[in-house]
Structure formats: C-alpha cells, structure tokens
Amino acid sequence: MANELLSNTEDRMNKAGEALQVQLAKIRAGVANPSILRDVTAEYYGAQTPLNQIASISVPEARVLLITPFDKTALKNIEQAIFASDLGLTPSNDGSVIRLVIPALTEESRKDLAKEVKAEAEKAKVAVRNIRRDALDHAKKDDLSEDELRKLEKDIQDLTDRGIKNIDQIASDKEKELLTI
C-alpha cells in the first residue's frame, strides 16, 4: 500500500514538471518554435481545428515560422486565427504560405519573460506541495504503525524535494535560454 502511494505520488509530481515544461514552451524566447502555435485554432469547414492539423509548421530560419496549409482555401482562416491569438505576431501571407517573423527580444522584455517563468515555476511548486499534502493525508488514513508512518512521511518529503528541484532546474534552463539569446 505504501509503495503504491509513493509510486502514485512520484508520478503526479513528475506530471507537474511536465506540465511546467509545456507552459514554458509557450513563452516566446525570440527564436522560432512551432510550440508557440500549439493553442491556436482556425476555422476549417465550420469547426475550430488546431493549426498543426490543417498545416505543416516548419522553421526555415532561426526567427521565422513557415506555415504551409494542406488546403490553400484555409490560408485566410489561418491568418485570421493568428491575428486573433494573443501571440502578438503579425502573419505575412504570400498566397501560398504564411510567414511569422519572431521579433528579437529587448532586454526589458527578456526580464519580463523571466518573471513569467518564475511565476509559472511557483505554480508548479504549489502543485507539488499540494500533491505532498494529499499523499500525507492518505498515509495518515492508512493503518500503519508510527515507525512505518514516519518512514513514509520521510519518503514523501524526499519525493517532494526532488520534484521541487526538478521544477527549479526546468525554470533555470528556460531563464538561461531567455537571457542569453
């Protein structure tokens, strides 16, 4: 029972780190990255469809995203979807493809993005701590001796420390990426 609880807790903490990586991938770092378009959807035959399902997204240059629709009739809708998104990017439509030029970041915008990274990391740490609390509550409900409970609590705390360290590393890597470009 204790091993199952530890395994479940570790999985949930790892998922918090993975979720942080997904969130941080959306933060523009001044380089072209197709993942910034992950949440953009365009109308395609009456349904909102993710961009990666109606177009190929490539990176021909370090700061350029090239969006090539599979169906040229979707070009206008893709362009409108990018305008409507909160990316702050202006698409350039040449009739067959859309180019998105990622502007270089100013020092101030880099620092703002670094603050955003720290805020996202703090949310992930709160999630890990909530997972720890849930695991401890669950452990206390189990029929364990005091020694077993103390050992389980220590193991849960060790998992928490590793989860927090992982989140710090992920955030640190993203901050370095933002500040060294």
Coordinates of all heavy atoms in Angstrom, one line a residue, residues 2-50:
A2 N 1.9 1.3 0.8 CA 2.8 2.4 0.9 C 3.6 2.6 -0.4 O 3.8 3.7 -0.9 CB 3.8 2.3 2.1
N3 N 4.0 1.5 -1.0 CA 4.8 1.6 -2.3 C 3.9 2.1 -3.4 O 4.3 2.9 -4.2 CB 5.3 0.2 -2.7 CG 6.5 -0.2 -1.8 OD1 7.1 0.6 -1.1 ND2 6.7 -1.5 -1.7
E4 N 2.6 1.7 -3.4 CA 1.7 2.2 -4.4 C 1.4 3.7 -4.2 O 1.4 4.5 -5.2 CB 0.3 1.5 -4.2 CG -0.7 1.8 -5.3 CD -2.0 1.0 -5.1 OE1 -1.9 -0.2 -4.8 OE2 -3.0 1.6 -5.3
L5 N 1.3 4.2 -2.9 CA 1.1 5.6 -2.6 C 2.4 6.4 -3.1 O 2.2 7.4 -3.7 CB 0.9 5.8 -1.1 CG 0.8 7.2 -0.7 CD1 -0.4 7.9 -1.3 CD2 0.7 7.3 0.9
L6 N 3.6 5.9 -2.8 CA 4.8 6.6 -3.2 C 4.9 6.6 -4.7 O 5.3 7.7 -5.3 CB 6.0 5.9 -2.6 CG 6.3 6.1 -1.1 CD1 7.4 5.2 -0.7 CD2 6.5 7.5 -0.8
S7 N 4.6 5.5 -5.4 CA 4.6 5.5 -6.9 C 3.6 6.5 -7.5 O 4.0 7.2 -8.4 CB 4.3 4.1 -7.3 OG 4.3 4.0 -8.7
N8 N 2.4 6.5 -7.0 CA 1.4 7.4 -7.4 C 1.8 8.9 -7.2 O 1.7 9.7 -8.1 CB 0.1 7.1 -6.7 CG -1.1 8.0 -7.3 OD1 -1.0 8.5 -8.4 ND2 -2.1 8.2 -6.4
T9 N 2.4 9.1 -6.0 CA 2.8 10.5 -5.7 C 3.9 10.9 -6.6 O 3.9 12.1 -7.1 CB 3.3 10.5 -4.2 OG1 2.2 10.1 -3.4 CG2 3.7 11.9 -3.8
E10 N 4.9 10.1 -6.8 CA 6.0 10.4 -7.7 C 5.5 10.7 -9.2 O 5.9 11.6 -9.8 CB 7.0 9.3 -7.7 CG 8.3 9.6 -8.5 CD 9.3 8.5 -8.4 OE1 9.0 7.3 -8.1 OE2 10.5 8.8 -8.7
D11 N 4.6 9.9 -9.7 CA 4.0 10.1 -11.0 C 3.4 11.4 -11.1 O 3.5 12.2 -12.0 CB 3.0 9.0 -11.3 CG 3.6 7.6 -11.7 OD1 4.9 7.6 -11.9 OD2 2.9 6.6 -11.7
R12 N 2.6 11.8 -10.1 CA 1.9 13.1 -10.1 C 2.8 14.2 -10.0 O 2.6 15.2 -10.7 CB 0.9 13.1 -8.9 CG -0.3 12.2 -9.1 CD -1.3 12.2 -7.9 NE -1.9 13.5 -7.7 CZ -2.4 13.9 -6.6 NH1 -2.4 13.1 -5.5 NH2 -2.9 15.1 -6.5
M13 N 3.9 14.1 -9.3 CA 4.9 15.2 -9.2 C 5.7 15.3 -10.5 O 6.0 16.4 -10.9 CB 5.9 14.9 -8.0 CG 5.2 15.2 -6.7 SD 6.4 14.9 -5.3 CE 5.3 15.2 -3.9
N14 N 6.0 14.2 -11.1 CA 6.6 14.2 -12.4 C 5.7 14.9 -13.5 O 6.2 15.7 -14.3 CB 7.0 12.8 -12.9 CG 8.2 12.3 -12.1 OD1 8.9 13.0 -11.5 ND2 8.3 10.9 -12.2
K15 N 4.4 14.7 -13.4 CA 3.5 15.3 -14.3 C 3.4 16.8 -14.1 O 3.2 17.6 -15.0 CB 2.1 14.7 -14.2 CG 2.0 13.3 -14.8 CD 0.7 12.7 -14.7 CE 0.7 11.2 -15.3 NZ -0.5 10.5 -15.0
A16 N 3.6 17.3 -12.9 CA 3.6 18.7 -12.6 C 4.8 19.3 -13.3 O 4.7 20.4 -13.9 CB 3.7 19.0 -11.1
G17 N 6.0 18.6 -13.3 CA 7.1 19.1 -14.0 C 6.9 19.1 -15.5 O 7.3 20.1 -16.2
E18 N 6.3 18.1 -16.0 CA 6.0 18.0 -17.5 C 5.0 19.1 -17.9 O 5.2 19.8 -18.9 CB 5.4 16.7 -17.8 CG 6.4 15.5 -17.7 CD 5.7 14.1 -17.8 OE1 4.5 14.0 -18.1 OE2 6.4 13.2 -17.4
A19 N 4.0 19.4 -17.0 CA 3.1 20.5 -17.3 C 3.8 21.8 -17.3 O 3.5 22.7 -18.2 CB 2.0 20.5 -16.3
L20 N 4.8 22.0 -16.4 CA 5.5 23.2 -16.4 C 6.3 23.4 -17.8 O 6.3 24.5 -18.3 CB 6.5 23.3 -15.3 CG 7.5 24.5 -15.2 CD1 6.7 25.8 -15.0 CD2 8.5 24.3 -14.1
Q21 N 6.9 22.3 -18.2 CA 7.6 22.4 -19.5 C 6.7 22.8 -20.7 O 7.1 23.5 -21.5 CB 8.3 21.0 -19.8 CG 9.5 20.8 -18.9 CD 10.2 19.4 -19.2 OE1 9.5 18.4 -19.3 NE2 11.5 19.4 -19.2
V22 N 5.5 22.2 -20.6 CA 4.5 22.6 -21.7 C 4.2 24.1 -21.6 O 4.2 24.8 -22.6 CB 3.2 21.7 -21.6 CG1 2.1 22.3 -22.4 CG2 3.6 20.3 -21.9
Q23 N 4.0 24.6 -20.4 CA 3.7 26.0 -20.2 C 4.8 26.9 -20.6 O 4.6 27.9 -21.3 CB 3.3 26.3 -18.7 CG 1.9 25.9 -18.3 CD 0.9 26.7 -19.1 OE1 0.2 26.1 -20.0 NE2 0.8 28.0 -18.9
L24 N 6.0 26.5 -20.3 CA 7.2 27.3 -20.6 C 7.5 27.3 -22.1 O 8.1 28.2 -22.6 CB 8.4 26.9 -19.8 CG 8.3 27.0 -18.3 CD1 9.6 26.6 -17.6 CD2 8.0 28.5 -17.9
A25 N 7.1 26.2 -22.8 CA 7.4 26.1 -24.2 C 6.5 27.2 -25.0 O 6.9 27.6 -26.1 CB 7.0 24.7 -24.8
K26 N 5.5 27.6 -24.4 CA 4.6 28.7 -25.0 C 5.2 30.1 -24.8 O 4.8 31.0 -25.5 CB 3.2 28.7 -24.3 CG 2.5 27.4 -24.6 CD 1.1 27.4 -23.8 CE 0.4 26.1 -23.9 NZ -0.7 26.1 -23.0
I27 N 6.2 30.2 -24.0 CA 6.8 31.5 -23.8 C 7.8 31.8 -24.9 O 8.7 31.0 -25.0 CB 7.4 31.6 -22.4 CG1 6.4 31.5 -21.3 CG2 8.2 32.9 -22.3 CD1 6.9 31.6 -19.9
R28 N 7.6 32.8 -25.7 CA 8.4 33.1 -26.8 C 9.8 33.5 -26.3 O 9.9 34.4 -25.4 CB 7.9 34.3 -27.6 CG 7.0 33.9 -28.7 CD 6.7 35.0 -29.7 NE 6.1 36.1 -29.0 CZ 6.4 37.4 -29.2 NH1 7.5 37.7 -29.9 NH2 5.8 38.3 -28.6
A29 N 10.8 33.0 -26.8 CA 12.2 33.3 -26.4 C 13.0 34.0 -27.5 O 14.2 34.1 -27.5 CB 12.9 32.0 -26.0
G30 N 12.3 34.6 -28.5 CA 13.0 35.3 -29.5 C 13.5 34.4 -30.6 O 14.1 34.8 -31.6
V31 N 13.2 33.1 -30.5 CA 13.5 32.2 -31.6 C 12.3 31.5 -32.0 O 11.3 31.3 -31.2 CB 14.6 31.1 -31.1 CG1 15.9 31.8 -30.8 CG2 14.1 30.4 -29.9
A32 N 12.3 31.0 -33.2 CA 11.1 30.4 -33.8 C 10.9 29.0 -33.2 O 11.9 28.2 -33.1 CB 11.2 30.3 -35.3
N33 N 9.7 28.7 -32.7 CA 9.5 27.4 -32.1 C 8.0 27.1 -32.4 O 7.1 27.8 -32.0 CB 9.7 27.5 -30.5 CG 9.5 26.1 -29.9 OD1 8.9 25.2 -30.4 ND2 10.0 26.0 -28.7
P34 N 7.8 26.0 -33.1 CA 6.4 25.7 -33.5 C 5.4 25.5 -32.3 O 4.2 25.7 -32.5 CB 6.5 24.4 -34.3 CG 7.9 24.4 -34.8 CD 8.7 25.1 -33.7
S35 N 5.9 25.2 -31.1 CA 5.0 25.0 -30.0 C 4.3 26.3 -29.6 O 3.3 26.2 -28.9 CB 5.8 24.4 -28.8 OG 6.7 25.4 -28.3
I36 N 4.8 27.5 -30.0 CA 4.0 28.7 -29.6 C 2.7 28.7 -30.3 O 1.8 29.5 -29.9 CB 4.8 30.0 -29.9 CG1 5.1 30.2 -31.4 CG2 6.1 30.0 -29.1 CD1 5.7 31.5 -31.7
L37 N 2.5 27.9 -31.4 CA 1.2 27.9 -32.1 C 0.3 26.7 -31.6 O -0.7 26.5 -32.2 CB 1.5 27.7 -33.6 CG 2.2 28.9 -34.3 CD1 2.6 28.5 -35.7 CD2 1.4 30.2 -34.2
R38 N 0.7 26.0 -30.6 CA 0.0 24.8 -30.1 C -1.5 25.1 -29.8 O -2.3 24.3 -30.1 CB 0.7 24.3 -28.9 CG 0.0 23.0 -28.3 CD 0.7 22.5 -27.1 NE 2.0 22.1 -27.5 CZ 3.1 22.0 -26.7 NH1 3.0 22.4 -25.5 NH2 4.3 21.6 -27.2
D39 N -1.7 26.3 -29.2 CA -3.1 26.5 -28.8 C -3.9 27.3 -29.8 O -5.1 27.7 -29.6 CB -3.1 27.3 -27.5 CG -2.6 26.4 -26.3 OD1 -2.7 25.2 -26.4 OD2 -2.1 27.0 -25.3
V40 N -3.3 27.6 -31.0 CA -4.0 28.4 -32.0 C -4.9 27.5 -32.8 O -4.4 26.5 -33.3 CB -3.0 29.2 -32.9 CG1 -3.8 29.9 -34.0 CG2 -2.2 30.1 -32.1
T41 N -6.2 27.8 -32.9 CA -7.1 27.1 -33.8 C -7.7 28.0 -34.8 O -7.9 29.1 -34.6 CB -8.2 26.4 -32.9 OG1 -9.0 27.5 -32.3 CG2 -7.7 25.5 -31.9
A42 N -7.9 27.4 -36.0 CA -8.5 28.1 -37.1 C -9.8 27.4 -37.5 O -9.9 26.2 -37.4 CB -7.5 28.3 -38.3
E43 N -10.7 28.2 -38.1 CA -11.9 27.6 -38.6 C -11.6 26.8 -39.9 O -11.0 27.4 -40.8 CB -13.0 28.6 -38.8 CG -14.4 28.0 -39.2 CD -15.5 29.0 -39.2 OE1 -15.5 29.9 -38.4 OE2 -16.3 28.9 -40.2
Y44 N -12.0 25.6 -39.9 CA -11.8 24.8 -41.1 C -13.0 23.9 -41.3 O -13.4 23.1 -40.5 CB -10.6 23.9 -40.9 CG -10.1 23.1 -42.1 CD1 -9.7 23.8 -43.2 CD2 -10.1 21.7 -42.1 CE1 -9.3 23.1 -44.4 CE2 -9.7 21.0 -43.2 CZ -9.3 21.7 -44.3 OH -8.9 21.0 -45.4
Y45 N -13.8 24.2 -42.4 CA -15.0 23.6 -42.7 C -16.0 23.6 -41.5 O -16.6 22.6 -41.1 CB -14.8 22.1 -43.2 CG -14.2 22.1 -44.6 CD1 -12.9 21.7 -44.7 CD2 -14.9 22.4 -45.7 CE1 -12.3 21.7 -46.0 CE2 -14.4 22.3 -47.0 CZ -13.1 22.0 -47.1 OH -12.5 22.0 -48.4
G46 N -16.1 24.8 -40.9 CA -17.1 25.0 -39.9 C -16.6 24.6 -38.5 O -17.4 24.7 -37.5
A47 N -15.5 24.0 -38.3 CA -15.0 23.6 -37.0 C -13.7 24.2 -36.6 O -12.8 24.4 -37.5 CB -14.9 22.0 -37.0
Q48 N -13.5 24.5 -35.4 CA -12.2 25.1 -34.9 C -11.2 23.9 -34.8 O -11.4 22.9 -34.1 CB -12.4 25.7 -33.5 CG -13.1 27.0 -33.5 CD -12.4 28.1 -34.3 OE1 -11.2 28.2 -34.3 NE2 -13.2 28.8 -35.1
T49 N -10.2 24.0 -35.6 CA -9.2 23.0 -35.8 C -7.8 23.5 -35.4 O -7.4 24.6 -35.8 CB -9.2 22.5 -37.2 OG1 -10.5 22.2 -37.6 CG2 -8.4 21.2 -37.4
P50 N -7.0 22.7 -34.6 CA -5.7 23.1 -34.3 C -4.9 23.3 -35.6 O -5.0 22.5 -36.6 CB -5.1 21.9 -33.5 CG -6.3 21.3 -32.9 CD -7.4 21.4 -34.0

